[in-house]
Amino acid sequence: MTACTAQLAQHFDLPPAYLAKQLARLVRAGVLSGTTGPRGGFRLGRPPAQITVLDVVEAIDGPGNPYQCREIRRQGRGALPPQECSERCALAVAMDAAHAAWQGSLRSVSVAELIESLPAEIPERNRRLLTLGAGSD
């Protein structure tokens, strides 16, 4: 089943321009495939078992670690001398470990698993409502 940006925006009550930007990112990452034209729309770019939650998150937010160490230990009146800052600070090390654990957790869950965890009526309800929306445009 394919759904167009307008249908999806209306279905999820999102601004169409915002959703179009996110969908374009997902297409570039191969999570979705898109087709243009009157019968165009979006569908998964790979089988759901081959798409991880991390694939989706990184397609939207990028692959980088959101924590950026500011090296405040080198600033101000209490600044440490450079030779005492040759190793990364303890907070940066802890944040890197947390980010790696978060990535591992999201990498271990597929879109197929998310779908399987939903009550059976939810995917069918969404398909039905999106199909109805397609006919009403």
Side-chain angles (χ1 to χ4, degrees):
M1 178 188 153
T2 61
C4 73
T5 304
Q7 287 173 290
L8 292 169
Q10 182 181 23
H11 184 75
F12 292 107
D13 195 24
L14 294 169
Y18 166 81
L19 184 59
K21 182 178 175 182
Q22 306 313 322
L23 292 170
R25 289 176 174 167
L26 291 164
V27 168
R28 278 193 301 276
V31 172
L32 295 179
S33 65
T35 55
T36 58
R39 301 193 48 86
F42 297 92
R43 66 177 51 237
L44 291 177
R46 304 187 299 267
Q50 294 177 13
I51 301 170
T52 69
V53 175
L54 184 62
D55 293 331
V56 175
V57 169
E58 288 186 341
I60 300 294
D61 294 333
N65 186 338
Y67 176 75
Q68 299 297 316
C69 183
R70 304 285 183 232
E71 278 297 340
I72 63 171
R73 64 188 175 161
R74 296 183 185 188
Q75 300 172 25
R77 201 172 50 166
L80 294 173
Q83 64 271 19
E84 291 186 33
C85 299
S86 60
E87 301 290 324
R88 297 195 68 218
C89 75
L91 180 58
V93 170
M95 294 301 285
D96 286 349
H99 183 68
W102 177 80
Q103 284 179 310
S105 178
L106 296 181
R107 188 180 292 114
S108 73
V109 179
S110 71
V111 169
E113 291 170 293
L114 288 179
I115 294 168
E116 290 167 8
S117 74
L118 295 172
E121 65 272 7
I122 299 297
E124 184 51 42
R125 177 181 179 273
N126 284 333
R127 279 187 205 92
R128 183 175 40 79
L129 290 172
L130 285 166
T131 302
L132 288 174
S136 64
D137 287 347

